[in-house]
Amino acid sequence: MSILQKPLVTEKVTSLNDKGIYGFIVDNRANKVEIKKEIEELYGVTVLQINTMRYAGKKKVRYTKSGVNKGKRVSYKKAIVTLKSGSVIDFYENV
């Protein structure tokens, strides 16, 4: 299974793409060295810096006729990747 789960396509991260900064949702157990290796092999670019952050799953409560349903969203890890100037990742090339 791949370390990279999906690219982050949010308004904030998309605005940073012009500067060579991209975002990915990655496996919770992955470290920066593994993430860097995977991105360089998959996209053929040079990675300068990686910042990672973990997000805890939020608790959710829904009130229904049959009672209260409690649950939790899945926790995930996010990686913000800075590429060497001139390197570009095109997420839509295979679509």
Side-chain angles (χ1 to χ4, degrees), residues 6-17 21-25 76 78 80 91-92:
K6 63 181 179 179
L8 272 177
V9 186
T10 61
E11 188 174 346
K12 186 173 186 177
V13 174
T14 305
S15 68
L16 294 173
N17 288 352
I21 300 172
Y22 296 88
F24 294 93
I25 302 291
Y76 62 95
K78 183 165 76 170
I80 304 297
F91 294 126
Y92 306 108

Side-chain angles (χ1 to χ4, degrees), residues 2-93:
S2 178
I3 293 172
L4 301 176
Q5 293 177 352
K6 63 181 179 179
L8 272 177
V9 186
T10 61
E11 188 174 346
K12 186 173 186 177
V13 174
T14 305
S15 68
L16 294 173
N17 288 352
D18 297 334
K19 298 177 185 176
I21 300 172
Y22 296 88
F24 294 93
I25 302 291
V26 296
D27 187 19
N28 280 334
R29 297 165 292 184
N31 59 28
K32 291 182 180 184
V33 175
E34 294 171 342
I35 296 169
K36 179 179 179 178
K37 183 179 175 186
E38 181 88 13
I39 291 173
E40 288 179 345
E41 287 178 2
L42 193 62
Y43 294 107
V45 294
T46 304
V47 176
L48 294 180
Q49 180 180 355
I50 295 178
N51 297 337
T52 59
M53 56 209 81
R54 291 177 185 251
Y55 285 91
K58 295 181 179 179
K59 293 182 180 179
K60 294 291 179 181
V61 178
R62 189 170 64 191
Y63 301 98
T64 63
K65 288 182 182 179
S66 61
V68 178
N69 294 333
K70 293 183 182 180
K72 182 182 163 194
R73 284 191 184 170
V74 178
S75 59
Y76 62 95
K77 187 173 189 177
K78 183 165 76 170
I80 304 297
V81 179
T82 305
L83 302 179
K84 186 177 179 182
S85 62
S87 298
V88 176
I89 295 176
D90 186 14
F91 294 126
Y92 306 108
E93 66 186 18

